[in-house]
Every structure is written in C-alpha cells, then in structure tokens.
Amino acid sequence: MIGYLVRRLAQAVLLLFGAVTIVFLVLRVIPGDPAALILGSQATAQELAAKRDEMGLSDPLLAQYARHLGEIVRLDFGDSWRLGGDAFAAVLDRLPATITLAGFALLFTLALGFPLGVYAARHKGKLADRAVSYFSLTGQALPAFWVGIMLVLIFSRTLNILPATADGSALALVLPAFTLALPFLGWLARLVRNGTLEELGRDYVRTARSKGLSERVVFNIHVLRNTLTPVITVLGLILGNFIADAVIIEQVFAWPGIGSLMIESIQNRDYAVAEAAIILIAVFYIGLNLVVDLLYFALDPRVTLETV
Amino acid sequence: MSALLEVSGLQVAFGELRAVRGVSLTVGKGQTLAVVGESGSGKSITSLAVMGLLPAQARVVEGEISLDGVNLLDLAPEELRRLRGEELAMIFQDPLSALNPSLTVGYQIAEVFRRRRGASRAVATGRAVEAMAEVGIPDAAERAKAYPHEFSGGMRQRVMIAMALALEPRLLIADEPTTALDVTVQAQILRLLRERQRAGLAMIIISHDLGVVARTAQSVVVMYAGQAVESGTVAEVYGTPAHPYTLGLMAASPSARTGRRGIRPIDGNPPDLTALPSGCAFHPRCPFARERCRTETPALRPLPSGRTSACHFAEEVLAHDRAAGA
Ligand SMILES: Nc1ncnc2c1ncn2[C@@H]1O[C@H](COP(=O)(O)OP(=O)(O)OP(=O)(O)O)[C@@H](O)[C@H]1O
Ligand code: SF4
Ligand SMILES: [Mg+2]
C-alpha cells in the first residue's frame, strides 16, 4: 500500500513537473514582448532592454528555467503587472467561482446522468433507452461554446428566465453549469446504463433471486452497489475535466473564475497570472486523478495491490 | 410415498434452439436425485427452470413442474419468488461469481433473514453468524465481515450452502457443487451436504463426477442432448446401464467410485442442438446403432423394476452388461 502510494505520488509530481516545463516553454516562445506590453509603444529600445533585464527575460533560457522552478515550488509566480499584486493571490481570488461552477456541474451530472442511465438500462431497447442514448451522443458531440450560446439565446434572450452572465444570483449558475455538465452527463448516463446491464447479467444476481429477494432489492442493493463503484471513480476525472473545460465556458458566460482570468492574462501577456492559473488547473487535474485511484481502493474490496 | 418435485415433459427453448427437449424427473421427499450428462446436455437449464430463474432469453415451451402437486409454471412471479429460499434453494458451481463481490458474506446471508423474515439487522446478523458456524466456518463472527474474495473456494461454497439453507428449504438443487474444489475440500463439502440429507433435505445434485453421484444420490437421471435418456436407482444404473450412452459414461469414467474427474468424453462430440441427428440423437456415436435408430426416435419407456430407458434396444444393452459382468 505505502509503496503504491509513493509510486502514484511520484508519478503525479513528475506529471506536474512536465506541465510546469511545457507552460514555461510555451509562454516564452509565443510571440509578443511583455516588456513592450508593459511600457507601451512609446518606449525606447533602451527602456525596453532595461525592463527585460529587470524582469530577468534577457538571461539564458536555462537559467530562467532553473530560477523559475525554485519560484514555483515557493508558489511565487511573481507579480501581475496588469492587476498589480501577487499573481497567485489573484488566481486564488478567482478560484471559488470556478469551484462553485464545477461543483454545480458535477451535481447536474450526477443528479441527471445516474437516474437517466438506470432508467435506460431498465428499459433496454425501448424508446426511452434509445432517447437517452441519442441525447447522450448529441450532448457529447456538440461543442460547448455553441451549446452555451444557444442556451443563452433561448433562456436569457428569448424566454428571459435565466441570467446569461454572472450577476451574483444563484440562478446565474444554471446555464454555465449545465453547459459544462452536458457532455459528461450523457457520458455518465451511458456508463451507468452499460454498467447496470452488465451487472444484471452476472451470476450473483441469479443468486440474489434464488434467495427469493424482491426485484427491487436485487436491483437497488445488489446491482446498484456494483454499478456505483466505477461511477464514483470517474467522478474525480469528471471534476478535473470540469475545471479544465471551465476555461471555455467561463469565457462564454463571462464567469469570473480562473478560466476567464487565464485567458485575459494570456491575451495581455501577463505571464505570471496565466502561469499560476494553468499550474493550478493542472494541480487540480492531476490531484483529482490521484484521489480517484485511492478512492477505488477504498470502494472496491476486490482491488488489492496485486491487481493494480 | 408421494413425490416432492415432479417434472414432466419439460421443454425449454432459446429462440429456435431447444436446449431441453422433454425431461421428466421425480424427487421424493427427503430423497436425492442425481442428474448426469455431458456438458451442454441441459442439466443447468433444467434446474434453473425449476427455480424459475431461467435466463431472460429462455422460455418454457411445454411441460409441468410440480412441487407438492402445485404446478410452478402456473404461479405468478411473485408467488414463485416467495417459494425460493423458503421451499427451493440452489447452489452454484462457481461460488466466487455466485456471490456479490461488493457485499460482505455476513450481509448476504443476513439479508435472507431480514428481507424474508423481517428480522432486525442485529438479529439477522446473529443468525447469519450461526448459520456460518453450522457449516463449519471457523471464527464465524469475524469472517462474516469479510468479502467473498477473501475466502478460499471451499469456504465460499460453505457460505453458499449456509445461505441457501438459511430458511430451511425442502429441496436444494446443487449444480456441480464441488467441481471447482480440490479432493479434500470436495469431501468436506459432500459430508456437509450428507448431514443435511440425513436431517431430511431433498436434493437434486448435478455432477460430472460419477463418484460424487454414488456417494450422495439414491436415484439418477442421465441426460443427453436435452433429453433424459435413462433413469433408475444409482445401484441399477451404475451396475447395469440400460442405455448405450450411460454405458459409455461408465466406461469413460476410470472408476465410478474413486475417479474424481469422472466423465471422460465418449468418442465423438455432443450433437449441435440446432442440427440434431434424425431418429435417436445418440446414433452417430452409438455402438449399438442400426437402421431403425436413424429413422425412429426412441421414447423414454419403462423397463422392469421401475427404471426407464430411451433406447430401442435397451434389453440388448442390459444383456450385454450381464455378459460383460460375468
Ligand atoms: N444463455 C443461453 N443462451 C443460449 N443458449 C443457451 C444459454 N444457456 C444455455 N444454452 C443452451 O442450452 C444448452 C444446455 O445448457 P446447460 O447449461 O443446461 O448445460 P449443462 O448440461 O448444465 O452443461 P455443463 O455441464 O457444461 O454445465 C447448451 O448447450 C446451450 O446450447
Ligand atoms: S436407440 Fe439406437 S442409437 Fe439410440 S441409443 Fe439405442 S441403440 Fe443407440
Ligand atoms: Mg451446467
């Protein structure tokens, strides 16, 4: 157990290291000079060079990279030239909005996806099953920004029942959370449907029936218990994806989370903030994956170290 | 003595495929009947039909299954459900897949008392532990909290037995209860079942192992390609088979009494149920076969002393036995 934990942790750290390196390289390679952005177009070449020296941008790349790693370990991403103040603090400031959005999206996914999947399984091959399957495939195929815009057009512009952008009300969550949830909701519904059907065909179901248990008990206790395990283990993955996908959705709905902050920062060459945001998203993604693996241990008594 | 279970003319189909094509068998109160036959001969499907647990694609086309004179096929699903566990119970060949992997064995036994007898959780758990101790699971109170994969094959089969017998049913169907186990454990499980037989439990035991049959059953039904081809007491059928297929089974078995992986295949393969040979389904493999066997399907007919055989030349087969025995 300890060995496995250490191994998984090391993997996570390695992944994170990779992410940091890529972000560093990409942000340095994309065209545009931060010094020029800060000083404006009137700046002289000397002023620009001085500014670049001050920001450490004229050092060799490797030296910049090494210095940079040390800073990241201390969570020191530097100051945001655009917002003033600490970049990491600026990102943390926007974090609750993203977490709320992802949390609600997860709630939608579970509250709709699970029952839909079970319903489809119970009506296998019937109209309801095909409807769920169609809904699920469509939900996965449509691009999120398009769905977002359509929902805004329908529910905000036309019906005028839900706010299109963050206005501080809880209702403002509905459209972005649903848009975020839609592809995963359908995906989960299919996962639950197929998992349930697979479990229903297993021998232990026959045994449960041979004891004279009612169909309700056979289904709700014996079958669902086994359907639930894989579902819970994908929840972390879904949540990780939500935080990553929030980048687009937040943009569409002007939601003040780390996703929209990240895009604003990239557009303004605010490296410090953009990097802090990307790294934080990566930490979430990798961390949630790790949690998922550990949860899998806790939930399924069969999973032992030999089987992983 | 009136019969506890009487199956007559049972036919079960998967779509066009007839997996069971007319099986009749009788289990007396407190008696044990063995069902033997090659793989795919319809033994499990017959027993699942009795339990009302056929796979969704299967359906009973014809026949009658009566328990104490009540035809189970006429019962509403809910009535049949209440008989399961209470009157009829079943244990399966592979106890690992037959138990729910995500529930403790204690829970899986206790739920019988909770759901069927309305016992409280505490009482039900107590009874589950007792039931486990009764089938010889050491340290039952502790082991009740373990999951199926944490048990050995033999212990799992004990769990299955404790679970199946929890409500003291009158008939237990044991579908190859010892096939997956090694010899010593096999003997322990058989001893356990024999104790229950002595306490009045009637059984249908399905086995490939003619030794197991000899040690547990009074009578036996031999199945071939979905049909009963011979039945009688174990002593008669073993001593003087009245059907060439049974004869083949005996010859193929190294020793009916000690051989543990009993049935070695007879020459040839079991027939494809979708393209059965004409006449007697066994004729392509039968050393006694002649022209009549290809054209005329033999009926299961009574022979002297109450046994039955579905062979045109049963008397000849019996004469052959005597000659070979002499
Ligand atoms: N789920 C199923 N779908 C279609 N056909 C089936 C199914 N289950 C069984 N059958 C058919 O029914 C026949 C009898 O199967 P059954 O399981 O009763 O055999 P068996 O005598 O128990 O064999 P074994 O000794 O291998 O357990 C098989 O040959 C197969 O053709
Ligand atoms: S009827 Fe003919 S083919 Fe069939 S078992 Fe008897 S002798 Fe063999
Ligand atoms: Mg079988």
Side-chain angles (χ1 to χ4, degrees), chain A residues 59-307:
Chain A
D59 296 348
L61 208 59
L62 212 59
Q64 286 190 42
Y65 178 63
R67 188 175 60 227
H68 189 66
L69 280 183
E71 285 164 359
I72 285 184
V73 170
R74 295 190 304 272
L75 290 181
D76 173 15
F77 292 88
D79 285 346
S80 161
W81 69 264
R82 193 170 62 98
L83 306 167
D86 183 50
F88 191 62
V91 173
L92 282 188
D93 210 38
R94 296 276 203 107
L95 187 60
T98 298
I99 302 248
T100 312
L101 181 59
F104 267 82
L106 193 65
L107 207 68
F108 273 131
T109 308
L110 271 185
L112 297 173
F114 198 84
L116 269 181
V118 170
Y119 188 79
R122 300 200 111 164
H123 298 82
K124 184 192 165 204
K126 306 229 178 78
L127 187 67
D129 182 22
R130 271 176 290 154
V132 169
S133 164
Y134 183 77
F135 167 78
S136 145
L137 289 175
T138 317
Q140 285 173 72
L142 296 177
F145 71 88
W146 185 84
V147 172
I149 291 167
M150 284 301 137
L151 290 178
V152 167
L153 285 180
I154 298 170
F155 290 98
S156 307
R157 296 289 128 75
T158 311
L159 299 175
N160 203 17
I161 49 175
L162 288 169
T165 53
D167 61 0
S169 75
L171 275 182
L173 261 171
V174 176
L175 291 184
F178 183 78
T179 310
L180 196 51
L182 187 63
F184 294 94
L185 195 166
W187 180 69
L188 184 75
R190 283 185 69 80
L191 186 82
V192 168
R193 173 200 180 269
N194 295 342
T196 304
L197 287 177
E198 203 177 308
E199 292 300 327
L200 268 174
R202 294 210 193 276
D203 286 356
Y204 69 78
V205 173
R206 192 176 58 192
T207 308
R209 290 190 176 127
S210 79
K211 296 191 272 188
L213 300 178
S214 67
E215 279 308 298
R216 192 178 51 80
V217 171
V218 171
F219 195 84
N220 291 347
I221 306 243
H222 286 264
V223 174
L224 285 194
R225 170 68 65 119
N226 287 289
T227 312
L228 222 51
T229 311
V231 168
I232 293 179
T233 58
V234 298
L235 286 189
L237 298 183
I238 295 182
L239 199 58
N241 274 301
F242 281 166
I243 289 179
D245 287 7
V247 175
I248 297 163
I249 308 293
E250 288 181 359
Q251 204 58 13
V252 173
F253 291 94
W255 190 261
I258 49 178
S260 48
L261 176 64
M262 183 186 108
I263 296 203
E264 289 159 27
S265 307
I266 291 176
Q267 282 164 348
N268 291 296
R269 305 271 173 272
D270 195 351
Y271 285 179
V273 175
E275 184 163 22
I278 296 172
I279 300 293
L280 196 63
I281 290 173
V283 166
F284 266 105
Y285 196 87
I286 294 167
L288 284 167
N289 271 293
L290 189 64
V291 170
V292 162
D293 275 8
L294 300 183
L295 257 184
Y296 200 57
F297 263 117
L299 285 173
D300 190 339
R302 278 166 303 177
V303 180
T304 60
L305 291 173
E306 293 84 75
T307 52

Side-chain angles (χ1 to χ4, degrees), chain A residues 203 207 211-212 222 226 301, chain B residues 81 97-98 100 102 108 111 149:
Chain A
D203 286 356
T207 308
K211 296 191 272 188
H222 286 264
N226 287 289
Chain B
R81 170 175 85 75
S97 65
N100 191 322
S102 323
Q108 294 183 61
E111 76 177 333
H149 74 272

Side-chain angles (χ1 to χ4, degrees), chain B residues 39-40 42-45 47 93 175-176 206 208:
Chain B
S39 192
K43 306 180 296 293
S44 297
I45 297 297
S47 25
Q93 173 173 348
D175 191 351
E176 317 213 12
I206 297 174
H208 278 125

Side-chain angles (χ1 to χ4, degrees), chain B residues 270-298:
Chain B
D272 178 358
L273 290 175
T274 55
L276 283 171
S278 62
C280 175
F282 188 55
H283 85 247
R285 301 167 73 186
C286 180
F288 291 78
R290 45 201 93 151
E291 195 45 44
R292 184 177 167 203
C293 305
R294 259 175 280 278
T295 52
E296 198 182 322
T297 308

Side-chain angles (χ1 to χ4, degrees), chain B residues 12-23:
Chain B
V12 180
F14 288 88
E16 289 300 296
L17 182 144
R18 291 274 154 114
V20 174
R21 309 180 296 127
V23 166

